[in-house]
C-alpha cells in the first residue's frame, strides 16, 4: 500500500471520532426520549433544552426542537 504515515493516522483518528460521535448522538437521543416520556409527553423545546442541559449536554432551544422533530416527539 502506498499510504503516507500521516494520512493513515488521520484516517484512523477520523474513524475513532465517528464512533464516538455516533455513541454521543445515541445517548442524547435516548436521554431526550426518556425525558419526554417522564414528563408525560408535555415538554416542549425550551423545557427539553433545560432538562438536557441539566444532564450535562451543551444544547440550546432550537437544537432541542430539531432533535424532538427528528425523533417524532410531539
Amino acid at each position: 500500500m502506498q499510504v503516507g504515515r500521516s494520512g493513515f493516522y488521520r484516517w484512523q483518528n477520523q474513524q475513532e471520532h465517528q464512533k464516538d460521535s455516533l455513541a454521543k448522538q445515541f445517548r442524547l437521543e435516548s436521554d431526550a426520549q426518556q425525558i419526554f416520556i417522564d414528563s408525560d409527553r408535555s415538554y416542549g423545546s425550551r423545557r427539553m433544552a433545560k432538562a438536557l442541559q441539566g444532564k450535562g449536554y451543551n444544547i440550546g432551544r432550537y437544537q432541542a426542537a430539531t432533535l424532538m422533530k427528528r425523533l417524532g416527539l410531539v
Side-chain angles (χ1 to χ4, degrees):
M1 272 176 34
Q2 298 292 328
V3 177
R5 186 178 301 158
S6 64
F8 170 75
Y9 286 119
R10 188 178 328 123
W11 173 81
Q12 188 178 25
N13 288 335
Q14 183 181 19
Q15 298 300 318
E16 291 174 8
H17 178 70
Q18 286 177 348
K19 288 177 186 175
D20 292 342
S21 180
L22 287 174
K24 287 178 185 178
Q25 185 67 26
F26 179 75
R27 282 194 306 267
L28 173 65
E29 290 175 356
S30 64
D31 283 345
Q33 288 174 336
Q34 190 60 47
I35 289 169
F36 192 71
I37 291 168
D38 291 344
S39 73
D40 293 326
R41 304 184 188 310
S42 65
Y43 273 15
S45 62
R46 289 184 176 129
R47 281 205 224 157
M48 180 64 73
K50 292 268 187 193
L52 288 170
Q53 288 169 0
K55 287 190 167 255
Y57 292 101
N58 186 17
I59 189 170
R61 173 184 162 206
Y62 294 108
Q63 191 175 5
T66 303
L67 174 67
M68 291 176 71
K69 192 178 295 186
R70 188 175 66 239
L71 295 175
L73 306 178
V74 180

